[in-house]
Amino acid sequence: MQIIRTVEDMRCFVKTAKKNEKTIGFVPTMGYLHEGHVSLMTHAKEENDCVVVCVFVNPLQFNDTKDLDVYPRDETHDVTVCKNIGVDVLFMPPVSEIYPQAMGITMTLQKRIGVLCDRTRPGHFSGVLTVLSKLFHITEPTRVYFGLKDAQQVAVVDLLIQDLHFDTILRRIETVREADGLAKSSRNVNLTPEERTMAPTIYCALKEAVQQMKQGIKTKQEVMQLVETKIEVETTGTIDYIEILSYPELEEVSELKGTLIVACAVNFSKARLIDNIIMTCNEE
Amino acid sequence: MQIIRTVEDMRCFVKTAKKNEKTIGFVPTMGYLHEGHVSLMTHAKEENDCVVVCVFVNPLQFNDTKDLDVYPRDETHDVTVCKNIGVDVLFMPPVSEIYPQAMGITMTLQKRIGVLCDRTRPGHFSGVLTVLSKLFHITEPTRVYFGLKDAQQVAVVDLLIQDLHFDTILRRIETVREADGLAKSSRNVNLTPEERTMAPTIYCALKEAVQQMKQGIKTKQEVMQLVETKIEVETTGTIDYIEILSYPELEEVSELKGTLIVACAVNFSKARLIDNIIMTCNEE
């Protein structure tokens, strides 16, 4: 496995790969790799001639510089994970390679925001768009891999690719879960033992919501109430949001029709957990 | 010469060219091709294996829809010009190919604006950034060609390529001039015969300014005054702006040092003319 730290060397690798007509699967991450990332890499490996993983903690997508300072990093661990999977290139540029100068161009979203996690992270997705545009230009991926656990990010990347005509295929990868259904996340270690036993309730509640939606008897409000009650009764967590929206447009729906996302965020004492299910309601 | 009207067909051409390791020179235009465009195409032809010219009147860069409606178009003429030069592909997509849906992403500039033509065309360069991002993704150019007559556009494209790490080379092509020095422009036909005889004064004044700047005796204010007086005395035009700025940063300078642009815009009865010279002052 090659470890590359400069844009120039990365471009050089890409040029050679393209010349040899090799497809490139690209997995952009902020490091501290866990099973969710491994799933993205495994899919990328199956579907492409070579796999490029990026580990880059993007300062532009942090609203709070304190958050950026404490963001967990473990380069040795990340290198081992990538090697074990058989990644071809681990791209770990310093900030100065990706942001050699103060940005003079800002990319902002008019769609797919103002809901879900964007409510509490204004500007976050603007930073995501910018860094992904740069990384896509540097790695020229045939396919890019994102996990559906952050479903809003997937929706935003989908818009980026469509709106600016990026020539890459977006692969949306299913959320990886623990045996009891809890979505894998590096934040799970911040749950107390008691909270850890309660946390699978989130996914249970979402599954029940989906069942109710498929039956088509309850209204959107009733389904959201069901999720809310279950989480409030069965956990000590505080609900940040429960939303049912069209997907990937993330627009308000009056009826439970078409492809929808039911998503929630729950705050525990030291961990904020998010989860969602995307499903299609029967359309008559 | 191939005339291509869809993104899909354009991508297909590009893929084949890349596979055959051919370099692509790209000339984005809004059509109504004149000698300035011909110069861009000729340079592109000399420096690349194949040349793609785009004729697309970008609605997003017009502040005024009335302007868009009356923008001159002559497809038959444009086809002939491109054929004569030996262009490989003329890409003429309908608006629906480039903007299949309302944009959900906006690109805005924080640098290189608020001066020169941007003063009177707010939002214009935002639309330019957007359409060029799309076109660069569709045509994957090795080199892109822009004329220095619109020096601010060149500066903005330079920033786009740097800031978002586009993998293309910006070629800045010298302004093409009439025998008497007047910069070629499709707007020159809107000058009255009397105005046409006066118009070369603009370039004369700029050249005098450059001479003064190289001598290093006069201040910026004095040099600007010299240009202003000459144009006011020798023409019936009204000065929109005369500016001396750093180039390509387009920042205010207190001293006449480094690479600078001296630029002006002059309104005649039915034509607004712009011109500029970029020069380097001796640095001690």
Side-chain angles (χ1 to χ4, degrees), chain A residues 15 104 106 110 137 163 167, chain B residues 15 104 106 110 163-164 167:
Chain A
K15 294 243 174 307
T106 307
Q110 276 74 51
H137 291 151
D163 254 15
D167 189 19
Chain B
K15 294 242 175 306
T106 307
Q110 277 74 51
D163 253 16
L164 295 184
D167 189 18

Side-chain angles (χ1 to χ4, degrees), chain B residues 179-219:
Chain B
D180 59 14
L182 177 63
K184 297 234 185 193
S185 165
S186 37
R187 295 169 186 206
N188 293 350
V189 296
N190 296 325
L191 295 168
T192 65
E194 193 202 9
E195 286 171 345
R196 176 62 190 83
T197 62
M198 295 167 175
T201 297
I202 297 172
Y203 184 52
C204 287
L206 293 175
K207 276 196 297 188
E208 279 183 31
V210 167
Q211 229 165 5
Q212 295 293 341
M213 287 157 78
K214 294 223 168 184
Q215 284 174 15
I217 300 161
K218 291 208 167 63
T219 66

Side-chain angles (χ1 to χ4, degrees), chain B residues 218-220 244-246 252-258 260 281:
Chain B
K218 291 208 167 63
T219 66
K220 187 179 81 168
I244 297 175
L245 302 164
S246 65
E252 291 294 338
V253 288
S254 48
E255 287 178 286
L256 297 178
K257 270 170 78 176
L260 303 174
C281 285

Side-chain angles (χ1 to χ4, degrees), chain B residues 233-247:
Chain B
V233 170
E234 299 183 21
T235 81
T236 55
T238 316
I239 291 165
D240 178 15
Y241 64 75
I242 295 165
E243 294 189 61
I244 297 175
L245 302 164
S246 65
Y247 196 85

Side-chain angles (χ1 to χ4, degrees), chain B residues 128-237:
Chain B
V128 170
L129 289 180
T130 305
V131 79
L132 289 180
S133 294
K134 288 168 175 269
L135 293 176
F136 290 178
H137 290 153
I138 295 165
T139 61
E140 296 180 32
T142 315
R143 294 179 190 83
V144 291
Y145 294 79
F146 291 88
L148 279 167
K149 176 146 175 292
D150 193 344
Q152 189 166 23
Q153 177 170 272
V154 172
V156 163
V157 175
D158 174 61
L159 188 64
L160 174 68
I161 291 171
Q162 277 184 57
D163 253 16
L164 295 184
H165 288 269
F166 273 98
D167 189 18
T168 191
I169 297 161
L170 172 59
R171 295 285 290 114
R172 312 157 183 217
I173 305 302
E174 285 299 326
T175 302
V176 180
R177 300 183 180 279
E178 304 287 351
D180 59 14
L182 177 63
K184 297 234 185 193
S185 165
S186 37
R187 295 169 186 206
N188 293 350
V189 296
N190 296 325
L191 295 168
T192 65
E194 193 202 9
E195 286 171 345
R196 176 62 190 83
T197 62
M198 295 167 175
T201 297
I202 297 172
Y203 184 52
C204 287
L206 293 175
K207 276 196 297 188
E208 279 183 31
V210 167
Q211 229 165 5
Q212 295 293 341
M213 287 157 78
K214 294 223 168 184
Q215 284 174 15
I217 300 161
K218 291 208 167 63
T219 66
K220 187 179 81 168
Q221 288 309 323
E222 287 167 341
V223 174
M224 282 162 66
Q225 187 58 56
L226 186 144
V227 177
E228 190 178 320
T229 306
K230 187 170 174 82
I231 293 172
E232 280 182 348
V233 170
E234 299 183 21
T235 81
T236 55

Side-chain angles (χ1 to χ4, degrees), chain B residues 1-5 10 13 24-34 37-45 50-56 77-79 81-83 85-93 135 139 141 143 145:
Chain B
M1 183 181 76
Q2 267 182 272
I3 295 178
I4 292 180
R5 296 189 190 269
M10 194 61 239
F13 173 89
I24 297 175
F26 181 52
V27 185
T29 80
M30 301 221 294
Y32 217 72
L33 304 173
H34 55 65
H37 299 112
V38 168
S39 170
L40 302 181
M41 295 178 204
T42 309
H43 279 89
K45 192 140 178 73
C50 52
V51 174
V52 176
V53 172
C54 178
V55 167
F56 179 67
H77 165 78
D78 293 344
V79 169
V81 170
C82 291
K83 267 190 190 160
I85 292 166
V87 163
D88 298 271
V89 172
L90 175 52
F91 182 43
M92 292 198 286
L135 293 176
T139 61
R143 294 179 190 83
Y145 294 79

